[in-house]
Amino acid sequence: MYLDVMAQIDRYTHGHHESVLRSHTWRTAQNSAGFLLPHLKSGDRLLDVGCGPGTITMDLAELVAPGNVIGLDRSTDVIERAREAAEARELANLSFEVGDVYNLEFEDSSFDVVYAHQVLQHLSDPIRALEEMRRVLRDGGWLAVRDGDYGAFSWSPPSEGLDRWMELYHDITRENGAEANAGRYLVGWVEGAGFESPEPTTSDWTYETVEEREWWADLWADRVLYSEFARQGLEYGLTTSEELSEISDAFRAWSESAEGIFVVVHEEVLARK
């Protein structure tokens, strides 16, 4: 998900600090949309809701070419970044637009596929957003949504600092009216939006090698200090600068363990209109 596609009442927990985009630009169709790929075909018209910097969107555009693909996000800055990247890849069937997930400016039945990655977990009304996605899908078209389930994340060795990070993350998202454990609710939300017979699966990102641990720890150590996560935590009175520094240090300490592992759990749902 990308995220900043919400109506003004919704607040994106991460923002677009460099440490956030460092993670988002790592994502590909293979590592973030594998559950959808077998169902794509050449010529499909596809909408990527909450596309962020567009790395997944660009991969999808290559897979469905010559089908038209639109990446949508609320952030003008991140859309400009996505446009620059798409121009470098010379993808003639791809465009990026600024828009609102609660008010998609497309006609009914406009797309064969609507995809949303890590978006619903940041919305105060995910069912309403899914209803809009359903509206713009053609009969027989695919909805594909994937979200993390923070409460199911796991790591080793144990860390009081990471335990506190997890607690704080849930507290901030609750203040924002969002659901950090969105993955476990996807089926119910999709059914609530009018889709029948959703097909759930699970997958994960696992960070275990020295390089993987360092990358994951570095980006979160920076997010904890500099991203919207930090700013909102301080604004809501949920944490202090001193505590954020301790959590940041805890991520780096975790990465230095030769036995370190961090598992990011996702739930996914495919559903036909």
Side-chain angles (χ1 to χ4, degrees), residues 90-183:
E90 299 182 345
L91 296 169
N93 64 323
L94 173 62
S95 62
F96 289 99
E97 300 180 10
V98 176
D100 174 10
V101 69
Y102 293 127
N103 184 27
L104 298 175
E105 296 184 358
F106 305 106
E107 295 183 359
D108 295 356
S109 306
S110 298
F111 296 93
D112 301 293
V113 181
V114 176
Y115 168 75
H117 184 266
Q118 306 283 32
V119 172
L120 299 175
Q121 64 182 286
H122 296 284
L123 303 182
S124 60
D125 195 347
I127 293 179
R128 178 181 159 206
L130 286 163
E131 288 172 341
E132 267 294 272
M133 297 181 206
R134 187 177 189 278
R135 179 185 65 79
V136 302
L137 263 180
R138 294 171 179 155
D139 289 344
W142 286 108
L143 171 77
V145 290
R146 184 177 193 250
D147 262 282
D149 186 330
Y150 274 72
F153 290 6
S154 62
W155 57 83
S156 183
S159 167
E160 291 183 3
L162 297 193
D163 290 344
R164 176 57 185 142
W165 162 75
M166 179 62 70
E167 180 182 31
L168 180 59
Y169 190 88
H170 280 84
D171 289 344
I172 293 172
T173 53
R174 276 192 291 268
E175 286 284 343
N176 289 337
E179 178 51 72
N181 301 333

Side-chain angles (χ1 to χ4, degrees), residues 11-89:
R11 192 173 188 185
Y12 179 26
T13 303
H14 298 286
H16 292 101
H17 184 264
E18 181 277 330
S19 59
V20 178
L21 293 178
R22 197 188 316 160
S23 171
H24 290 181
T25 54
W26 165 83
R27 298 172 183 178
T28 65
Q30 194 63 44
N31 67 31
S32 300
F35 70 111
L36 169 64
L37 301 189
H39 304 279
L40 297 177
K41 60 183 185 298
S42 175
D44 279 343
R45 188 166 193 246
L46 185 149
L47 175 65
D48 182 1
V49 178
C51 64
T55 52
I56 302 174
T57 327
M58 289 182 274
D59 288 348
L60 295 173
E62 290 180 341
L63 291 170
V64 302
N68 176 249
V69 173
I70 298 174
L72 187 78
D73 202 286
R74 199 187 69 176
S75 169
T76 301
D77 290 344
V78 81
I79 283 294
E80 286 303 318
R81 177 171 178 150
R83 286 171 176 163
E84 291 174 3
E87 184 175 348
R89 284 175 65 166

Side-chain angles (χ1 to χ4, degrees), residues 176-193:
N176 289 337
E179 178 51 72
N181 301 333
R184 68 187 68 178
Y185 300 108
L186 286 184
V187 169
W189 291 346
V190 168
E191 290 177 335

Side-chain angles (χ1 to χ4, degrees), residues 194-211:
F195 291 91
E196 297 180 358
S197 303
E199 302 174 18
T201 54
T202 60
S203 61
D204 64 72
W205 296 332
T206 299
Y207 306 104
E208 189 172 14
T209 68
V210 172
E211 294 78 12

